[in-house]
Amino acid sequence: MSMELDVFVGNTTIIYEEVYQLWLDGYSVNDAVKMRKENGALSECEASDDVLQSDTMDQYRTFQMCERLLYSPSKLANQLLFQIPAHSQTMLIERYYEFDHNFAREVLGKKLSKGTKKELDDISLKTGIALRSCRRQFDNFRRVFKVVEEQRGPLVENVQHHFLLSESLAKDYAAVVFFANSRFETGKRKLQYLSFQDFAFCAGQLISYWTVGAVDNMMEDMDVDLEKEFLHDLKELKVLVNDKDLLDQHKSLVCFQLREKIRVFTEMEANFKNLSRALINIATKLINTKDVRDLFIDLVEKG
Amino acid sequence: MPGKLKAKIVAGRHLPVMDRASDLTDAFVEVKFGNTTFKTDVCPKSLNPQWNSEWFKFEVDDEDLQDEPLQITVLDHDTYSANDAIGKVYIDIDPLLCSEAATVISGWFPIYDTIHGIRGEINVLVKVDLFNDLNRFRQSSCGVKFFCTTSVPRCYRAVLVHGFVEELVVNEDPEYQWIDRIRTPRASNEARQRLISLMSGELQRKIGLKVLEMGGNAVVGYLQCFDLEGESGLVVRAIGTACTLDKISNTHTSASATNPCNSSPSKDMKEAGFGEETPGVPLSSGPPTPLRAQTFSSFSPSKSYSRQSSSSDTELSLTPKTGMGSGGSAGKEAGPLKALLRQQTQSALEQREFPFFTLTSFPPGFLLHVGGVVSARSVKLLDRIHNPDEPETRDAWWEEIRQEIKSHAKALGCHAVVGYSESTSICEEVCILSASGTAAILSSRFMQDGTLDTEHRLSRQQAPVFTSGAEKGEGDMGSSASLGFEDLMPPGCGFCHIPYDELNMPFPAQLTYCHCCRRYKVPDVLFTTIDLPTEANITGKGCLIQARLCRTKKKAQGEGNATAISNLLPFLEYELHTQLMNKLKLRSMNALFGLRIQISVGENMLLGLASATGVYLTALPSPGGIQIAGKAPSDITYEQHISNMQKKINDTIVRNKELYEINPPELVEEVIGSPIPEPRQRSRLFRSHSESSDEVSELDLSHGKKDAFVLEIDDTDAVEDIHSLLTDAPTPPGFYSCNTEIMPGIYNWTSALQMFTSVRVFRLSNVNVTNQGLNKVFNDLCENLLKSLYFKLRSMVPCCLCHLNFTVAVPEDELIQVAVTAVAMSFDKEQSLENGRQIVDKTLMKAITENEEQLQFPLELTAESSSSAFCSAKGLSEVSGPLPSARAPSVDYSSFTDRCSSWIEQLRLKAHTIRRGSIKTMSSLEKASPLPEGRSRSLRSNRSYAGGSVAVVKMTPLSFLPGTKIIKYLGIINMFFIRETTSLREEGGVSGFLHSFIAEVFAMVRAHVAALGGNAVVSYSMKECVFMENPNKNQAQCLINVSGDAVIFVRESEIEAATPQPHSASAHTSSSGEGT
């Protein structure tokens, strides 16, 4: 005695955000039903457990069918299978591509390959994020990476256009892509205290000032890669350490710029020479890929 | 050579990867019509191919144009092996054959494969050049319009209603041909889809011919069904109502205002019309003999079963009383005038073989009296159809049933059957044929020389308030003296008055004087298959009432099986009827509308499901309570048990009265009702008053058993009845439900709506297969389904589930399948009931006056008498103030209509440009897309996304969309799909499989409507959903048949918004597609 089949299909596909989030978070149908019950879904409309179960199943099926379309969000707008209101479409996409910063922190700078995918079990254990959700987030990274990797033009805009995401989310993706491409080492213990947001900020700065696109606006090429010539030119910075006059001049300029802007200003001013030397040492070595990867370790260790 | 079909293949998108090596596809397209096939070039290595083909031209007979679909096949080119099919699109080009419907089909169609489902989309352009063929003996019937809508379509007026048309074609089912053993499932499915498409085309053409013969130009209430008889063949049959429709052109309205009011009543015209008609009509062949009704069954008399039900629950005699023809039934109370009228309409109708109408809602004044539900069933043994060209057996079967229905209607003193429908249930070689309808008396004026029209019965429009309807209005004008008998009746109760003879009643019923007019007799309960007439006076709100029943049956073969079923049927129907009656009383209501009884037969059980919408008709007496009586009142505990139950029932009745706001205004009525004819009536009123008082104990049985419905609980059936009575859960707050078009008592709809289909299949493994056990399972299944619907649609509260259409089936031994299609519509709770009532009055009057306006022009051309008749109504419509006495100058009014028509004109233009516009943008996008993938393209696609590139298409099972005006009907949508899978688990099991299939069907319907230039489907229905599975083999198959009318609608708010600033019109139109 059992329900063999149970479906509900509306002409308009209505997405309930609450259930969608549960699905995205990787909960099984049974868990999702439990969660919804705890959130008081039963009090609405005098529903029973069966009703909730059936409703959750229906929605999960809808999400699964939509997932295929979400791989390339522009398809969602001109597919014919589901009639989804525009605001729901935006929500579907944005939520699908949202990621946990804890998770992103774990894979930041790692190669977005099948090999890394195998580590997802450990990451799931470590972060407490369901494996299913980890897989989705990781696959999203890979998908975004693959699409924008070879594209010209500003990285953030590319992500935004191709995946129809909000600007802030697109920026986060840009950071992930940027780190994955340059393979910056972020997993060392010494760097553990840094959050995803910290790195994302750095990525933003690097993209704005150090990449090919940033250096040569006319080129409109490759936001993803660091400008080789620029890194080469960094060698010249040695003068700032070796030449006393230039050192002083550099110091006064930097101090002028930073005065009253940072809290540790006095310390910085006192230690300027050492700091500058360390930074410039890192900078001059950036011609080697290995050193580029270790940029952040070096900055923390030696800066 | 009367037609040239042209097709152009523009582009494809989202194609599946057919070549694993390159992850791409080399697609080309075959376009086939009849036996001619064209091919496009291969578009190599692209998932978004641009073919931009030439125009493929097919020169064909219009007969073929009607029968054949245009078949488009998308294939993947393969140099070495056979080309792989990606999928197909069938396009029904019928809408292009009608000058008033669509002119071009253009848009993206989902590419459908019966194994894989939708695989990408294809953009196609189709046009037809039709040459006129004036050959009298032609086989085609191009130009006849078809409507699924069971009322006169919104932008038409009916000049004549010709009557019933039916046709039936049979063929062998490809699935059961020998060749099916050697071909692939895909080939077999496609053969079936194509055959059914061809057969429905042929059927439609043949019906069209019949309509032309009758002198009509349209079929309204077109109902087409498939009987998958398995080995013995495939039957496609259709019924409908032939009409002559006129498109309402709004330019005429301006002329009407110039005509001064004329006081001659419309009934004059009716009689005149009739007089013209009679000489040509041979007199009727007389009432059918009782013998005829008995010839009905095919095996033995016991197999035929039939039954009429109207105001009573008791069994009826099978033989109609010959003495009780409709003419004779004009009893004493009716008077000679009524009798005269009867005779006129009767003979007008009797020229028809079957005076049946598939319509369920009528313009005011068309439906005079309603007798009750008439139904007939017959159990038949299927045999192989030997000669498909002569489907005589099947025709004869239906003929028998229709004859029976006709004679039942006669027995009820009625000369017509409205809300008529036919259905079948097949299990193995046994087939139950059913037909049902509502016996009624109709006004002849609409059938001969009159007009009818139901232009937006419910749509809310800003319009001057007219305080009375046409019928009433004529009375107001002081011309009532010359009016016929019927017109003196307040329109709100006329249809309730009994059409049969009081002294010679066809069944025992309690008659009382009408609670509205106090002049004519009404029954205590009224069952009908039609929608609630708009003019009906009701108290409170209505609700869905269902009777559900499951009966076990021994497995048997052939004739034995058929006999067993025929023996069970009467009991099944009787019990369903009792259940309905009990539930009706429990809700304190006295009438059922939209009654639909479905009997489904399986190997080892029979399922019966009766759905209807219960209401409290003000004209009918208040129903008594339900009294429970034990047969052996000896035991004290037993008595206690009974009184407990009684109390529960009484409580429920009181609760229901509150819930449905049923407070019959007895006191008020007594004051108003001046001529109370008999003291008996008065006492009755008092009594019912005391019933509705708060003290439950008083609702007891002092009135004797005449009123209270007595249930004796000694027999197990009654226990079961009571059980099912009390287990019906009330709808959650904020929800209402009904199976009619709209909920009686709710008027202020918002435009938010959601059409849905829900299917459940229940496996009965290990159920104790007793009647009680089965009943409970079935009852719970339906109840839980409803509960689930309420939960899913909770975001739309306050809302009403309208047109809840349940279909039950027994697909296999232990399976019960229930499918529901309905629409959830939100309404505005803020508005008080009175407000709502006002609005409906307003719109009703508006509708009526509009009709009159629109009638004005054409009638002036046709008959003087008729034009003058409508002038009287015209005069009324000039009353544009809120008070009936305050008459605005006619000049004002005319300017108003002038403006009105010009807005509509504008809207039409707009609608046209929208369509054009959308086509253009599409093609421009296509031109842009040949660019290889790159940034520019991605940006472009992003922009198109923001604009929403897929137009929103609304779907509803109703004939209208609230808050909108339908401005054009684009043609009928009638589609049949088969989906099969051999990887059931991988597709998410049976639920996943069916879920995506239903979604695909919706998508294909929407795409076809959008390609016709429409933005909605009205009168949508899923007629067939046959699901078969074999989980062990990981296989499943499903067949779905859907139909509806494609339309263009505009929002009323836009009509209003467009008027002050015509220039900003284009800005408004862009939002027309929005909504839920």
Side-chain angles (χ1 to χ4, degrees):
Chain A
M1 207 165 126
S2 59
M3 198 63 77
E4 185 95 357
L5 181 158
D6 178 9
V7 295
F8 173 96
V9 191
N11 182 36
T12 308
T13 305
I14 298 170
I15 309 284
Y16 286 91
E17 290 188 39
E18 181 208 347
V19 189
Y20 186 47
Q21 196 56 56
L22 291 172
W23 178 73
L24 289 175
D25 289 345
Y27 290 102
S28 68
V29 174
N30 289 337
D31 289 345
V33 170
K34 252 180 241 159
M35 306 271 284
R36 292 181 76 187
K37 238 166 39 184
E38 280 161 23
N39 292 340
L42 283 186
S43 57
E44 291 176 88
C45 268
E46 303 151 14
S48 65
D49 285 16
D50 293 348
V51 166
L52 209 56
Q53 174 90 20
S54 132
D55 179 59
T56 313
M57 281 290 281
D58 260 323
Q59 298 207 38
Y60 266 51
R61 266 199 308 273
T62 311
F63 301 146
Q64 267 155 27
M65 281 186 248
C66 283
E67 191 168 20
R68 191 170 49 87
L69 300 162
L70 286 165
Y71 293 158
S72 51
S74 55
K75 262 191 195 169
L76 195 66
N78 53 23
Q79 51 86 31
L80 302 176
L81 187 58
F82 295 108
Q83 187 158 276
I84 309 171
H87 62 91
S88 289
Q89 287 184 20
T90 321
M91 190 275 290
L92 270 179
I93 297 166
E94 190 79 8
R95 287 284 183 87
Y96 189 78
Y97 280 91
E98 259 171 22
F99 54 83
D100 288 302
H101 288 165
N102 291 341
F103 172 81
R105 177 67 187 80
E106 294 298 321
V107 290
L108 205 58
K110 284 187 178 144
K111 201 174 174 193
L112 298 175
S113 64
K114 289 229 167 91
T116 317
K117 202 167 179 179
K118 283 173 192 148
E119 297 169 27
L120 291 181
D121 286 341
D122 299 334
I123 297 176
S124 167
L125 273 178
K126 193 175 165 191
T127 56
I129 299 164
L131 183 62
R132 226 179 292 183
S133 176
C134 288
R135 290 218 182 101
R136 170 182 61 85
Q137 299 185 31
F138 186 75
D139 288 341
N140 283 345
F141 289 161
R142 285 217 326 171
R143 200 173 310 116
V144 173
F145 183 81
K146 255 191 189 167
V147 168
V148 296
E149 187 183 28
E150 298 294 316
Q151 267 184 353
R152 296 150 172 266
L155 185 57
V156 178
E157 251 178 67
N158 281 345
V159 175
Q160 240 182 306
H161 285 314
H162 237 271
F163 293 92
L164 310 171
L165 302 176
S166 66
E167 197 184 341
S168 62
L169 191 54
K171 274 186 179 156
D172 285 350
Y173 268 99
V176 172
V177 169
F178 186 72
F179 268 74
N181 189 54
S182 303
R183 307 274 306 281
F184 291 114
E185 181 59 65
T186 65
K188 287 275 150 51
R189 179 156 298 172
K190 275 177 188 158
L191 296 175
Q192 282 307 311
Y193 74 97
L194 289 166
S195 71
F196 170 77
Q197 285 303 350
D198 298 334
F199 283 113
F201 176 76
C202 298
Q205 296 295 309
L206 289 174
I207 291 168
S208 319
Y209 300 109
W210 285 23
T211 56
V212 186
V215 174
D216 189 349
N217 254 335
M218 298 303 284
M219 276 276 287
E220 267 217 352
D221 197 0
M222 307 309 226
D223 243 358
V224 194
D225 296 318
L226 290 172
E227 165 76 297
K228 285 268 152 43
E229 244 172 84
F230 169 75
L231 295 179
H232 206 266
D233 290 348
L234 286 176
K235 256 189 178 172
E236 312 288 316
L237 288 176
K238 271 200 172 153
V239 274
L240 290 179
V241 188
N242 297 339
D243 192 312
K244 184 84 169 76
D245 284 350
L246 283 175
L247 181 80
D248 287 343
Q249 207 180 332
H250 182 216
K251 184 179 175 180
S252 67
L253 279 171
V254 170
C255 288
F256 176 74
Q257 282 285 320
L258 292 180
R259 196 177 302 272
E260 281 164 27
K261 275 184 190 158
I262 53 172
R263 255 176 284 152
V264 287
F265 181 74
T266 39
E267 272 174 61
M268 192 277 291
E269 200 176 20
N271 275 323
F272 186 80
K273 196 174 170 187
N274 287 337
L275 278 173
S276 175
R277 186 191 305 272
L279 280 175
I280 282 159
N281 272 335
I282 295 169
T284 49
K285 283 197 294 180
L286 282 179
I287 316 163
N288 301 321
T289 331
K290 169 81 177 71
D291 291 311
V292 172
R293 284 187 189 172
D294 289 342
L295 174 67
F296 290 96
I297 300 174
D298 290 346
L299 283 173
V300 170
E301 277 180 353
K302 297 167 187 168
Chain B
M1 176 87 58
K4 194 189 269 177
L5 171 70
K6 300 189 289 182
K8 182 182 171 110
I9 307 298
V10 184
R13 68 182 182 194
H14 309 156
L15 294 190
V17 171
M18 296 301 282
D19 180 4
R20 283 282 152 77
S22 64
D23 266 4
L24 289 166
T25 297
D26 306 319
F28 71 100
V29 182
E30 273 181 13
V31 187
K32 189 178 171 192
F33 189 83
N35 295 320
T36 321
T37 309
F38 292 102
K39 277 183 196 172
T40 66
D41 299 332
V42 176
C43 187
K45 304 204 183 309
S46 170
L47 297 182
N48 298 291
Q50 299 292 316
W51 291 289
N52 252 321
S53 77
E54 58 189 293
W55 282 99
F56 299 123
K57 295 188 181 84
F58 303 88
E59 295 181 330
V60 278
D61 284 339
D62 49 359
E63 193 182 328
D64 290 338
L65 279 174
Q66 283 193 296
D67 288 4
E68 298 257 356
L70 180 68
Q71 182 182 320
I72 293 164
T73 315
V74 186
L75 298 114
D76 177 51
H77 176 75
D78 214 325
T79 325
Y80 304 107
S81 58
N83 298 327
D84 293 326
I86 295 173
K88 285 192 173 178
V89 180
Y90 293 98
I91 301 177
D92 179 15
I93 45 172
D94 230 35
L96 295 182
L97 304 180
C98 191
S99 55
E100 280 165 39
T103 50
V104 63
I105 296 176
S106 161
W108 289 99
F109 290 90
I111 302 167
Y112 181 71
D113 179 68
T114 58
I115 306 292
H116 294 101
I118 291 179
R119 304 170 99 190
E121 289 129 34
I122 185 168
N123 194 300
V124 182
L125 259 165
V126 185
K127 281 181 184 173
V128 170
D129 289 336
L130 209 58
F131 315 124
N132 265 336
D133 180 13
L134 299 174
N135 181 1
R136 262 166 49 90
F137 304 103
R138 63 186 179 157
Q139 286 299 299
S140 76
S141 55
C142 291
V144 174
K145 295 177 282 284
F146 284 80
F147 301 92
C148 293
T149 303
T150 54
S151 54
V152 175
R154 300 288 157 139
C155 47
Y156 289 90
R157 64 183 193 93
V159 181
L160 279 173
V161 181
H162 301 278
F164 190 61
V165 279
E166 46 79 32
E167 188 59 77
L168 172 156
V169 292
V170 296
N171 212 315
E172 264 185 273
D173 192 337
E175 186 102 339
Y176 294 89
Q177 284 164 349
W178 66 268
I179 195 169
D180 203 57
R181 294 190 193 146
I182 52 167
R183 65 182 163 191
T184 63
R186 176 182 283 119
S188 157
N189 290 340
E190 282 173 1
R192 250 176 140 188
Q193 280 191 168
R194 201 182 122 74
L195 178 71
I196 286 188
S197 180
L198 265 171
M199 285 168 79
S200 359
E202 185 191 339
L203 193 70
Q204 220 167 305
R205 174 172 59 79
K206 285 186 169 166
I207 287 210
L209 277 172
K210 287 192 174 177
V211 172
L212 290 177
E213 244 167 60
M214 294 167 106
N217 64 2
V219 181
V220 180
Y222 185 66
L223 176 76
Q224 187 197 285
C225 294
F226 299 97
D227 298 331
L228 300 168
E229 296 184 351
E231 291 282 336
S232 60
L234 186 66
V235 176
V236 187
R237 58 195 161 79
I239 54 175
T241 306
C243 296
T244 303
L245 296 184
D246 248 12
K247 186 144 174 82
I248 295 167
S249 77
N250 289 279
T251 46
H252 291 159
T253 51
S254 54
S256 61
T258 58
N259 229 317
C261 145
N262 188 320
S263 64
S264 85
S266 59
K267 285 301 178 285
D268 281 0
M269 177 213 49
K270 178 186 347 184
E271 258 122 358
F274 172 69
E276 283 164 19
E277 204 277 326
T278 19
V281 185
L283 276 169
S284 72
S285 54
T289 59
L291 254 176
R292 181 113 195 213
Q294 280 163 356
T295 55
F296 161 57
S297 130
S298 51
F299 329 109
S300 75
S302 69
K303 271 164 218 136
S304 99
Y305 173 69
S306 68
R307 157 153 212 280
Q308 308 141 293
S309 52
S310 82
S311 56
S312 153
D313 57 309
T314 41
E315 201 48 60
L316 299 169
S317 70
L318 280 176
T319 32
K321 289 161 191 148
T322 27
M324 233 183 46
S326 48
S329 75
K332 300 161 191 160
E333 28 137 20
L337 196 51
K338 189 173 179 178
L340 182 70
L341 240 138
R342 278 274 170 76
Q343 273 167 359
Q344 289 165 357
T345 34
Q346 186 200 348
S347 48
L349 274 166
E350 272 181 8
Q351 62 173 305
R352 302 182 175 95
E353 191 185 8
F354 297 113
F356 297 170
F357 299 87
T358 52
L359 305 177
T360 58
S361 86
F362 309 89
F366 185 50
L367 190 68
L368 297 184
H369 303 293
V370 169
V373 170
V374 284
S375 75
R377 287 181 211 283
S378 136
V379 182
K380 300 285 181 193
L381 264 186
L382 297 172
D383 51 347
R384 189 170 275 278
I385 298 166
H386 295 291
N387 186 359
D389 292 330
E390 285 170 32
E392 277 145 353
T393 355
R394 302 296 185 279
D395 263 340
W397 290 354
W398 286 112
E399 167 100 15
E400 279 172 14
I401 290 223
R402 288 172 194 143
Q403 283 297 353
E404 175 151 340
I405 289 274
K406 190 177 171 183
S407 64
H408 287 336
K410 276 241 157 85
L412 285 173
C414 296
H415 58 120
V417 176
V418 294
Y420 179 74
S421 67
E422 294 174 348
S423 63
T424 57
S425 168
I426 296 169
C427 177
E428 301 290 307
E429 72 276 272
V430 174
C431 175
I432 303 181
L433 311 182
S434 316
S436 71
T438 306
I441 292 183
L442 303 174
S443 153
S444 68
R445 85 168 129 149
F446 294 105
M447 283 173 282
Q448 296 311 320
D449 203 353
T451 43
L452 67 132
D453 198 303
T454 52
E455 172 77 344
H456 42 251
R457 173 165 43 107
L458 268 153
S459 55
R460 265 172 291 145
Q461 273 210 321
Q462 282 226 321
V465 184
F466 303 112
T467 46
S468 73
E471 296 255 4
K472 251 188 197 163
E474 283 160 355
D476 287 351
M477 300 293 294
S479 58
S480 56
S482 60
L483 289 181
F485 159 80
E486 314 283 348
D487 298 82
L488 290 175
M489 282 187 234
C493 64
F495 75 94
C496 307
H497 302 162
I498 52 159
Y500 35 84
D501 185 357
E502 193 186 346
L503 297 177
N504 198 7
M505 278 198 302
F507 47 80
Q510 294 169 36
L511 299 182
T512 45
Y513 279 94
C514 172
H515 281 220
C516 282
C517 66
R518 311 276 154 135
R519 294 187 50 172
Y520 305 104
K521 293 281 176 74
V522 292
D524 54 350
V525 218
L526 188 63
F527 283 15
T528 73
T529 58
I530 55 170
D531 274 343
L532 184 73
T534 35
E535 69 268 24
N537 288 330
I538 60 150
T539 305
K541 295 198 166 64
C543 76
L544 179 77
I545 292 178
Q546 279 194 327
R548 307 153 185 142
L549 208 65
C550 211
R551 282 288 170 262
T552 51
K553 173 184 85 69
K554 284 209 181 83
K555 276 194 188 183
Q557 294 291 313
E559 281 203 26
N561 197 16
T563 317
I565 293 170
S566 341
N567 288 341
L568 268 173
L569 273 179
F571 298 100
L572 199 66
E573 277 202 79
Y574 177 76
E575 280 177 48
L576 280 175
H577 190 264
T578 316
Q579 244 188 61
L580 277 180
M581 191 66 96
N582 287 343
K583 290 190 175 180
L584 188 69
K585 300 249 182 213
L586 196 69
R587 285 168 179 80
S588 210
M589 295 173 181
N590 56 20
L592 286 180
F593 286 89
L595 177 66
R596 195 168 157 265
I597 299 176
Q598 208 201 340
I599 305 255
S600 203
V601 54
E603 287 268 285
N604 52 359
M605 63 177 131
L606 276 175
L607 281 183
L609 179 70
S611 311
T613 302
V615 293
Y616 185 103
L617 281 175
T618 319
L620 265 51
S622 174
I626 297 174
Q627 182 195 350
I628 296 177
K631 263 185 184 162
S634 52
D635 202 345
I636 291 182
T637 52
Y638 184 66
E639 293 235 304
Q640 202 146 26
H641 177 64
I642 287 180
S643 68
N644 270 344
M645 262 208 265
Q646 182 71 56
K647 192 171 167 359
K648 260 189 202 166
I649 287 179
N650 292 349
D651 288 349
T652 318
I653 292 179
V654 171
R655 212 173 36 241
N656 279 332
K657 274 192 176 176
E658 259 167 53
L659 184 63
Y660 302 115
E661 296 162 27
I662 297 171
N663 310 301
E666 280 115 340
L667 284 173
V668 186
E669 245 180 60
E670 264 179 307
V671 176
I672 293 172
S674 39
I676 295 175
E678 282 173 66
R680 188 181 129 210
Q681 171 101 17
R682 189 175 272 279
S683 69
R684 190 179 179 90
L685 276 175
F686 278 129
R687 208 181 47 227
S688 55
H689 179 62
S690 74
E691 267 171 23
S692 64
S693 67
D694 287 339
E695 288 145 297
V696 187
S697 55
E698 270 189 37
L699 196 147
D700 73 0
L701 325 151
S702 54
H703 328 309
K705 54 182 178 179
K706 250 195 171 178
D707 266 295
F709 200 70
V710 182
L711 278 177
E712 293 191 338
I713 60 160
D714 254 10
D715 58 278
T716 45
D717 277 0
V719 172
E720 216 174 283
D721 282 340
I722 291 164
H723 178 76
S724 65
L725 269 182
L726 295 171
T727 47
D728 268 12
T731 52
F735 273 107
Y736 291 94
S737 54
C738 61
N739 77 332
T740 45
E741 282 238 316
I742 45 128
M743 176 65 158
I746 299 178
Y747 309 102
N748 30 347
W749 302 105
T750 66
S751 59
L753 61 91
Q754 163 80 313
M755 189 283 297
F756 58 85
T757 291
S758 186
V759 182
R760 285 193 175 182
V761 175
F762 197 83
R763 186 173 284 282
L764 297 163
S765 45
N766 310 324
V767 177
N768 60 332
V769 191
T770 59
N771 280 342
Q772 270 92 347
L774 280 177
N775 249 355
K776 189 171 170 350
V777 165
F778 184 41
N779 205 41
D780 289 351
L781 182 59
C782 293
E783 281 290 314
N784 290 337
L785 183 52
L786 278 171
K787 269 186 210 159
S788 210
L789 296 181
Y790 295 136
F791 181 74
K792 277 184 209 289
L793 298 160
R794 64 194 183 282
S795 64
M796 294 183 74
V797 160
C799 96
C800 178
L801 305 189
C802 297
H803 215 281
L804 265 171
N805 191 0
F806 277 69
T807 354
V808 289
V810 190
E812 270 172 54
D813 249 10
E814 295 185 317
L815 296 182
I816 299 181
Q817 177 189 320
V818 180
V820 185
T821 298
V823 64
M825 300 206 293
S826 292
F827 58 90
D828 217 342
K829 212 169 196 171
E830 300 305 301
Q831 264 171 307
S832 71
L833 192 72
E834 271 125 282
N835 262 346
R837 186 77 219 185
Q838 248 174 23
I839 279 173
V840 110
D841 281 349
K842 217 197 287 181
T843 53
L844 184 66
M845 297 322 145
K846 167 76 181 164
I848 290 164
T849 45
E850 267 191 21
N851 299 349
E852 311 302 356
E853 287 153 24
Q854 282 136 2
L855 294 178
Q856 195 69 27
F857 183 66
L859 281 173
E860 267 170 3
L861 291 177
T862 49
E864 276 173 61
S865 60
S866 60
S867 84
S868 60
F870 282 97
C871 281
S872 65
K874 179 68 229 153
L876 168 85
S877 63
E878 277 169 45
V879 185
S880 59
L883 295 166
S885 53
R887 291 194 188 176
S890 59
V891 190
D892 267 6
Y893 185 71
S894 76
S895 69
F896 170 77
T897 49
D898 252 351
R899 260 188 292 148
C900 208
S901 65
S902 62
W903 306 339
I904 290 158
E905 201 74 340
Q906 270 174 6
L907 276 164
R908 277 212 188 129
L909 284 172
K910 269 196 300 177
H912 223 72
T913 46
I914 299 166
R915 249 176 77 195
R916 290 270 161 74
S918 66
I919 292 164
K920 262 180 206 155
T921 49
M922 272 179 183
S923 54
S924 71
L925 262 176
E926 285 140 27
K927 269 169 204 154
S929 40
L931 286 171
E933 277 135 56
R935 188 159 169 231
S936 59
R937 194 174 153 223
S938 69
L939 284 179
R940 202 179 299 269
S941 69
N942 187 29
R943 257 169 228 144
S944 75
Y945 158 75
S949 51
V950 178
V952 173
V953 175
K954 296 204 168 200
M955 289 164 78
T956 175
L958 310 183
S959 62
F960 68 99
L961 290 144
T964 65
K965 193 170 157 65
I966 292 170
I967 55 168
K968 192 171 186 185
Y969 280 80
L970 298 163
I972 200 168
I973 297 281
N974 186 4
M975 296 164 104
F976 177 85
F977 299 105
I978 301 177
R979 180 87 149 77
E980 187 165 349
T981 185
T982 48
S983 51
L984 190 58
R985 272 186 294 279
E986 294 76 2
E987 290 196 40
V990 282
S991 295
F993 170 71
L994 195 63
H995 192 139
S996 56
F997 184 36
I998 294 175
E1000 282 167 351
V1001 169
F1002 285 179
M1004 287 184 278
V1005 170
R1006 285 194 302 258
H1008 275 79
V1009 173
L1012 287 169
N1015 55 7
V1017 187
V1018 296
S1019 300
Y1020 169 83
S1021 71
M1022 187 164 89
K1023 298 224 199 76
E1024 205 85 54
C1025 178
V1026 185
F1027 179 77
M1028 288 157 286
E1029 58 166 332
N1030 190 342
N1032 298 333
K1033 281 190 179 170
N1034 206 16
Q1035 286 176 342
Q1037 193 192 33
C1038 187
L1039 293 80
I1040 287 184
N1041 175 223
V1042 295
S1043 64
D1045 294 326
V1047 298
I1048 304 176
F1049 72 84
V1050 287
R1051 290 198 180 287
E1052 266 158 22
S1053 56
E1054 280 162 45
I1055 301 178
E1056 283 152 26
T1059 39
Q1061 304 146 300
H1063 297 290
S1064 66
S1066 56
H1068 290 288
T1069 52
S1070 61
S1071 64
S1072 68
E1074 265 178 55
T1076 51

